[in-house]
Amino acid sequence: MPPTFQYYAAGRHATWLELFFDLVFVASISVITHHLAHVHDGHLAGKQVLLYFTEFIPVWWIWASHTLYANRFDTDSRTHRVASLVIMFLMTTLSAFLGAGLLEASARFIAYYIVIRSVLAGMYFVTGQRFPQTQPYAKTMGFTILGGAAIALFSLFFGTPLCQIIFLGGIGLEMSATAYISSDKDLIPCHREHLVERVGLLSIILLGESVISLVGSLSGLEWNQFDLVAALTGFLMIGAIWWIYFDGFPLLERAKKIKYGFPLLYSHLLFLLGMGILSSLIRHAILNDLPMGEFRWLAIAGLTLFYLGKQISYYLAFPTARQIILINTVVCISITVVSTFLPRPEYTLIGITLGLFFYVYSNFRWTLTKNFSEFLAEPETTSQSLLA
């Protein structure tokens, strides 16, 4: 039987390969978040923060662009599996030197990135050849990815920091081009249920990293009252984040405004960056190993990225809820900022957690009670051809 697209499978869910794929990438992200987890001479160096962002963004984009491909063109065939496993192997070996990354080993990092992008471009070209109805989209996407890889190669001719600026700028251009090409009205929409599930799976696995960070930080403590407060509020904070994130998640599966998936996918870069920061924040609160000034900026950055990444897709998808979304965001970020001026990290965690609890209450009280039916699409039928 010839391969068919998973797009049209009844009750489609993430495949076992996609779950494995996510685990490999979370392992890489876990290495990256370690830049923020350890202090040097009692401080978090600016280089560590820079490495966190410059390594996180390309690794996330590899995951996101492969997810976009699989969302429409996954056949779960041997060819697709082998190509995906090759990307996973390259990501595994890339993780071995993520600690140096774009600042000290930029040539090696970018070389791996170019090879990974070439594999994904090849997947698009093979799809276009085997399924003529997918052209010219598949071919255009393949060349777009190669164009991004070419910019990455070009960046190697420059020294720091111009190399990193060109490299990350190329990713930004490729993200913009991908959104433009993939939003053509003649192209079928993304499989919303599948995309929401993939994004949610990666997010909950990364949330699990926060639990691991919490557990790892508790070993060897003397367990005074402050340790107990930090452990309790750290877990409550993680639980509140889970509640906030998944409470309205089913709405996104049918939201008309994210027909092509990009508001959801791209806003999650901010969300995931925030989650990585928050996992380190909990660790530093328990160990109390950061000056309050640095802890303050880490908390504000992490929670701001978290709230913005969570809210953007809902703000765009449901216009009638925009006012309450804005109010929730401003109030919760304000509570975070005020909490960071408390005298101890443990007290700051309590304030942050109270802000998260306010959001949960507000969501129940004013947001989820609204009627969003006019912004929700009917479940997709599977009788249409791959390209209109």
Side-chain angles (χ1 to χ4, degrees), residues 53-62 109 113 167-168 171:
F53 285 97
T54 57
E55 291 182 351
F56 196 111
I57 292 171
V59 168
W60 167 83
W61 180 232
I62 292 169
F109 185 98
Y113 178 83
F167 175 64
L168 294 174
I171 292 176

Side-chain angles (χ1 to χ4, degrees), residues 299-351:
I300 293 172
L303 268 297
T304 299
L305 288 169
F306 163 77
Y307 284 121
L308 292 178
K310 157 67 175 64
Q311 300 285 52
I312 286 173
S313 53
Y314 289 92
Y315 181 88
L316 295 175
F318 305 109
T320 55
R322 287 178 179 175
Q323 183 177 11
I324 188 60
I325 287 173
L326 283 173
I327 292 172
N328 282 350
T329 305
V330 171
V331 169
C332 291
I333 293 177
S334 298
I335 292 173
T336 297
V337 172
V338 171
S339 299
T340 61
F341 286 92
L342 296 172
R344 292 186 62 94
E346 297 88 353
Y347 300 155
T348 296
L349 274 191
I350 293 174

Side-chain angles (χ1 to χ4, degrees), residues 66-326:
H66 181 275
T67 297
L68 284 171
Y69 168 84
N71 184 264
R72 285 190 175 94
F73 301 130
D74 183 4
T75 58
D76 202 26
S77 63
R78 284 190 292 269
T79 302
H80 176 86
R81 292 181 179 186
V82 169
S84 298
L85 286 167
V86 168
I87 293 176
M88 292 159 64
F89 168 73
L90 291 170
M91 281 305 308
T92 302
T93 53
L94 174 65
S95 300
F97 54 88
L98 278 173
L102 276 175
L103 298 186
E104 297 176 8
S106 56
R108 188 165 51 173
F109 185 98
I110 293 173
Y112 266 83
Y113 178 83
I114 291 170
V115 174
I116 291 171
R117 303 307 290 164
S118 300
V119 173
L120 182 60
M123 294 171 75
Y124 271 106
F125 290 138
V126 169
T127 296
Q129 185 178 28
R130 297 181 67 184
F131 301 93
Q133 73 271 27
T134 66
Q135 291 189 358
Y137 173 77
K139 184 177 180 181
T140 303
M141 276 302 305
F143 282 116
T144 299
I145 293 169
L146 290 181
I151 296 175
L153 179 62
F154 177 70
S155 71
L156 291 175
F157 292 95
F158 301 87
T160 301
L162 197 55
C163 170
Q164 291 77 18
I165 293 172
I166 294 172
F167 175 64
L168 294 174
I171 292 176
L173 288 174
E174 189 183 339
M175 289 173 61
S176 300
T178 299
Y180 177 78
I181 296 167
S182 303
S183 300
D184 190 293
K185 61 181 177 61
D186 293 329
L187 182 69
I188 61 167
C190 69
H191 194 294
R192 271 186 295 248
E193 292 87 348
H194 174 261
L195 186 62
V196 169
E197 182 182 24
R198 288 298 307 280
V199 168
L201 287 170
L202 184 69
S203 299
I204 201 167
I205 296 172
L206 193 58
L207 187 61
E209 285 294 310
S210 298
V211 178
I212 293 172
S213 179
L214 173 63
V215 172
S217 303
L218 296 177
S219 60
L221 294 179
E222 297 180 358
W223 287 102
N224 57 35
Q225 68 271 25
F226 292 114
D227 296 331
L228 184 60
V229 168
L232 178 60
T233 54
F235 181 78
L236 289 174
M237 181 176 162
I238 294 169
I241 289 171
W242 169 84
W243 201 312
I244 287 171
Y245 182 79
F246 287 101
D247 220 24
F249 220 53
L251 291 172
L252 295 177
E253 294 181 350
R254 294 174 53 203
K256 294 178 182 178
K257 296 280 187 177
I258 58 171
K259 180 178 180 181
Y260 296 104
F262 293 101
L264 173 67
L265 192 64
Y266 286 4
S267 66
H268 268 70
L269 172 59
L270 303 180
F271 175 84
L272 295 171
L273 281 167
M275 285 300 305
I277 294 174
L278 293 179
S279 66
S280 296
L281 184 76
I282 294 171
R283 173 184 173 85
H284 291 305
I286 294 173
L287 299 180
N288 199 9
D289 58 354
L290 267 185
M292 273 305 298
E294 295 177 22
F295 186 85
R296 175 180 303 118
W297 287 113
L298 203 63
I300 293 172
L303 268 297
T304 299
L305 288 169
F306 163 77
Y307 284 121
L308 292 178
K310 157 67 175 64
Q311 300 285 52
I312 286 173
S313 53
Y314 289 92
Y315 181 88
L316 295 175
F318 305 109
T320 55
R322 287 178 179 175
Q323 183 177 11
I324 188 60
I325 287 173
L326 283 173

